[in-house]
Amino acid sequence: MQNTNKKTRAVVLGGGGVTGIAWEIGIITALLQEGIDLSEADVIIGTSAGSFVGTALASGYDMRKLYDSQFIPNKSEVNVSVGSEIMKLWTAAFIYGKDDKKKIGKLFGDIAKKYPSKISKEERQAVVESRLTTTIWPSKLKVTAVDAETGDLHVFDKDSDTSLIDAVNASGAVPGLWPFVAFNDRDWIDGGMVSSTNAFLSGSYDKVVILSPMPQKYGLVPSVKEDVEEMRKRAAVSLIIPDNDSILAIGKNPYAPTHAASSAKAGFEQGIREVAGVYKTWE
C-alpha cells in the first residue's frame, strides 16, 4: 500500500518478552496478508521485544517466514521468569521514582547491578543472535535502551557508534532476568523498563501504528494509552494491545518460549480482526 499523500508514517513495537515477539510477528503477518505492509513506514521504533521484530520488519525480511518459524522450538531460548523478589524491587522503583522517568531508570539500573542475572552473558548472546534475522543496521530502525547509571533513555540507529547486536541486546536486558550490556564505556538495560512501549517517541509523525504487548500502567509514568491519547491530538494513531484471546495464549509468564507458538497464532488471528482499524490510519 503506497503512501500517496506523503504524510509521514511510523511503526512502534513495544516490549513483551519472547511471547511479545511472537504476538507482534503474528499481528504484522496478518496485516501484510490483508495488504497492509508496515515495513513501508518511514521509521520503525523498537523497544525490547520490539527491537527484535523491528529489525526483521525494517530490513525487509519475509515476515511470513518469520511467522512460520515461531512454531519451531528455538533451541537457543532459555526458559526464565521474574521471581517475587525482583518483582518487588521493580514495584519499589516505580513507587520511589514517582513520575520521574530518569530516576526510575536509574533505580532499575541499580537493580541490574545488585541482583545480577543467573544467565551468563554468553547464554544471553546466543539467545539474541538466534532471534535476529540480520546483523546489519536497517536504515529506518531505531532501538531504545536505558543507561544503567544515569537512567536516561537512549535511541540507537545506524548512525550510532554501536553494533545492531549490542543495541538489541541492551534493549532487551531486563534487570534481574538478563545480564546488563556494556558498550561505549556505559552499561545498558532494557529500554522498556520505564515505559514498555515508548510510544511518545513517534509523536512527530502523522500516521502511527503501535503494537504494545504490555500496555499496563505502572506507577505514575504515562501508560501507552495515555501517550496515544496525547498523540491523537495531532496524528492518526492505531494502538493494538492483546485482546482476551491473545492474553490467554500469552499466559502468565511472557518470557516462556513454550508459549511462543500460541502467542504467534493468537496475534495472527487478532491481526485479521484489526485490519479495518489499521487501514483507516495507514491509508
Side-chain angles (χ1 to χ4, degrees):
M1 187 186 303
Q2 295 300 314
N3 185 15
T4 57
N5 55 15
K6 304 302 181 183
K7 289 192 175 181
T8 57
R9 299 189 292 191
V11 171
V12 179
L13 303 170
V18 68
T19 56
I21 291 174
W23 178 80
E24 290 180 352
I25 291 169
I27 293 280
I28 292 168
T29 305
L31 295 178
L32 182 60
Q33 176 177 289
E34 299 303 310
I36 301 173
D37 188 354
L38 295 185
S39 72
E40 294 175 349
D42 298 289
V43 67
I44 295 169
I45 303 170
T47 289
S48 198
S51 68
F52 291 96
V53 182
T55 295
L57 184 64
S59 67
Y61 191 79
D62 184 341
M63 296 305 293
R64 182 73 206 194
K65 180 179 180 181
L66 190 58
Y67 174 74
D68 290 341
S69 73
Q70 300 307 299
F71 298 89
I72 303 171
N74 180 352
K75 295 180 180 179
S76 294
E77 288 288 352
V78 181
N79 197 346
V80 294
S81 61
V82 179
S84 58
E85 182 181 14
I86 295 298
M87 186 60 72
K88 288 177 182 178
L89 292 169
W90 287 7
T91 301
F94 281 106
I95 292 173
Y96 293 118
K98 298 182 179 179
D99 61 350
D100 187 336
K101 292 183 178 181
K102 185 173 179 178
K103 184 176 181 179
I104 295 169
K106 187 179 184 307
L107 288 168
F108 274 115
D110 292 342
I111 293 170
K113 298 290 185 68
K114 294 177 182 177
Y115 299 86
S117 169
K118 296 179 182 179
I119 305 300
S120 71
K121 292 185 177 181
E122 291 74 21
E123 287 177 295
R124 174 57 177 171
Q125 184 80 3
V127 172
V128 172
E129 292 178 358
S130 74
R131 293 177 181 176
L132 284 175
T133 56
T134 182
T135 57
I136 300 172
W137 267 107
S139 61
K140 60 179 66 176
L141 177 67
K142 295 185 182 296
V143 170
T144 67
V146 171
D147 186 315
E149 182 178 352
T150 67
D152 288 315
L153 179 70
H154 284 248
V155 179
F156 298 98
D157 59 23
K158 65 180 179 60
D159 296 321
S160 301
D161 186 22
T162 185
S163 69
L164 178 64
I165 291 178
D166 280 347
V168 172
N169 194 355
S171 188
V174 181
L177 194 69
W178 300 114
F180 62 85
V181 180
F183 57 85
N184 295 352
D185 297 322
R186 312 297 299 175
D187 296 325
W188 304 93
I189 60 169
D190 194 301
M193 295 313 299
V194 180
S195 170
S196 69
T197 310
N198 295 310
F200 64 91
L201 292 174
S202 63
S204 63
Y205 289 82
D206 300 310
K207 297 169 176 279
V208 186
V209 174
I210 302 168
L211 275 56
S212 180
M214 289 183 172
Q216 300 89 342
K217 180 178 174 64
Y218 298 101
L220 300 178
V221 175
S223 66
V224 65
K225 292 181 180 179
E226 290 170 323
D227 281 341
V228 167
E229 184 178 346
E230 185 65 28
M231 290 166 60
R232 281 179 174 154
K233 294 177 182 179
R234 64 164 304 278
V237 184
S238 283
L239 170 63
I240 303 178
I241 64 175
D243 61 13
N244 288 334
D245 290 342
S246 291
I247 290 171
L248 287 173
I250 290 169
K252 294 182 179 180
N253 179 16
Y255 307 105
T258 50
H259 283 208
S262 62
S263 300
K265 184 174 184 292
F268 185 89
E269 293 172 350
Q270 181 179 348
I272 296 296
R273 296 190 290 272
E274 301 280 358
V275 168
V278 175
Y279 184 84
K280 291 178 181 178
T281 297
W282 203 246
E283 66 176 353

